[in-house]
Structures are given as C-alpha cells and as structure tokens.
Amino acid sequence: MNEIQTTEDSELIILETIQASSRRNIPITQRELAEAGGLSLGMTNAILKRFSDKGWLMLKKLNARTIMYALTPDGMNEIARRTYRYFRRTARLANLYKERIENFILHEKQKGLGRIILLGISDVEFLFEYACERHNILLVHTTSENQAEKFAADKNTRILIGEAFPKNKIPNNESWIRIESILIET
C-alpha cells in the first residue's frame, strides 16, 4: 500500500469516527481522532482544518477546551465516495492476490507439492483455501512452529508463514515462505 492510500484510509477513519461521535452526541478529542487514524496529532489537526475549509466539517465550541465536530452533508457524501473507492481498491487487490496465489499453487504443484502448512494467521487465508481445494492440495492450519517443523521435512510440503508471524523466527529454508512474498511478486 502506498503512502497516499494510507493517508486516504486514515482520513476515512477520521471522518467515520467523527460521524459515530456525532451520532452518539459524545465529543471526541483530536488526540482520539489521531489514535483512531494512526496519525500524529499535528497531522490530524491539519486534516481537520482541511476538512473544515472544504466544508465537510463544522466545529462547535462547547466550552473553552472542548470542541464538538460534526459532519456536513458534503462531509457525509465524502464518506460515501471514499468508502466506494476503498471497496473498489479492495476488490481489485483481492482479485490480484487470488491470481498470484493461484499461480503459486499451480507452480508448486508442478514441482510435486502435495501439502501446504499455513503457520499463523493470514488475512488472505480464504484465498489459499480456495486455491488448494481447486487443485487438490491439502491445506493444514497451525499456530505451532514445532508442528510446522515436523511437516517441513517432507519435500512435497511448503510452510506458508502468516503476516503476523515474527520475521526473526523463520528458518533459512526454501520450503518456508512468507505469504507477503507471494502476494508482492513482481
């Protein structure tokens, strides 16, 4: 994901958080918005000012220290536009990842692959399940590194390592493959 997409995602989170806060009629602080969007307080302040300048956001001073943020109809429309773009981008990435996973499975099957061990958790696990089922490859899920090591001795087995698995725990072995390396292939 590039920096522009990350900022757009953070901005959408800020807009949605303001919307939820307004719906509950509970003021939210800039610090809480910054945490929700994964941004610095200064960046969040700049984004809120830009949203206000564009007419997406109204500010209501409740007292000397508390400001209530409320979205305007244009701000609500912006949430809808950004949500639509987010879903389109997500669908494109899901299709791209599906193709890359399918190609990986086919390539490995030609080399004799019969089993994949998915170590840890992956956001694209369902795509591996689909591809393995289509190509008659056994997919085994585990969170145990010891269990994965037992399977690794079989030359027809690949260990796929989920995104959350610590990088420093991966053995230097060609049968152990990080899922990211499959998804980010060039």
Side-chain angles (χ1 to χ4, degrees):
M1 189 178 314
N2 66 35
E3 193 174 318
I4 292 170
Q5 287 172 335
T6 303
T7 302
E8 272 197 24
D9 292 348
S10 296
E11 289 178 358
L12 177 58
I13 290 168
I14 288 171
L15 288 167
E16 290 173 333
T17 304
I18 291 169
Q19 179 187 25
S21 167
S22 294
R23 225 181 292 129
R24 292 188 315 266
N25 202 26
I26 300 172
I28 190 162
T29 66
Q30 281 190 19
R31 188 170 307 283
E32 291 168 329
L33 289 171
E35 287 174 14
L39 300 170
S40 71
L41 196 53
M43 176 65 91
T44 302
N45 184 291
I47 288 170
L48 291 172
K49 181 173 179 358
R50 186 167 40 87
F51 288 173
S52 179
D53 291 346
K54 288 185 174 201
W56 299 344
L57 186 64
M58 291 185 320
L59 305 150
K60 180 180 177 189
K61 198 167 194 169
L62 299 178
N63 60 43
R65 294 184 49 99
T66 307
I67 296 173
M68 180 79 165
Y69 301 100
L71 294 178
T72 65
D74 286 345
M76 298 293 283
N77 288 335
E78 186 61 21
I79 287 177
R81 276 191 298 277
R82 287 175 184 237
T83 300
Y84 174 73
R85 284 195 315 256
Y86 176 82
F87 281 125
R88 274 193 25 221
R89 186 172 71 243
T90 300
R92 270 195 316 270
L93 284 174
N95 283 328
L96 174 66
Y97 293 163
K98 180 179 158 269
E99 286 177 27
R100 288 181 177 173
I101 289 168
E102 187 88 16
N103 289 338
F104 170 80
I105 297 293
L106 284 172
H107 178 74
E108 292 296 316
K109 186 173 182 174
Q110 289 171 351
K111 295 185 334 189
L113 176 71
R115 176 174 46 204
I116 288 181
I117 308 301
L118 180 58
L119 176 59
I121 299 168
S122 172
D123 290 334
V124 294
E125 185 174 316
F126 69 102
L127 295 173
F128 280 99
E129 288 171 350
Y130 174 75
C132 286
E133 187 174 313
R134 272 191 69 195
H135 299 289
N136 202 26
I137 302 290
L138 177 64
L139 178 65
V140 178
H141 302 263
T142 186
T143 55
S144 167
E145 191 176 349
N146 292 335
Q147 187 178 17
E149 284 176 2
K150 289 176 187 173
F151 285 113
D154 178 1
K155 67 181 176 115
N156 295 324
T157 297
R158 297 294 172 275
I159 312 297
L160 299 183
I161 302 152
E163 298 92 283
F165 197 81
K167 291 183 179 178
N168 61 345
K169 293 184 108 187
I170 301 169
N172 189 12
N173 181 325
E174 68 183 37
S175 67
W176 291 66
I177 303 165
R178 289 203 71 80
I179 287 177
E180 292 99 333
S181 68
I182 297 166
L183 302 179
I184 302 173
E185 75 179 19
T186 52

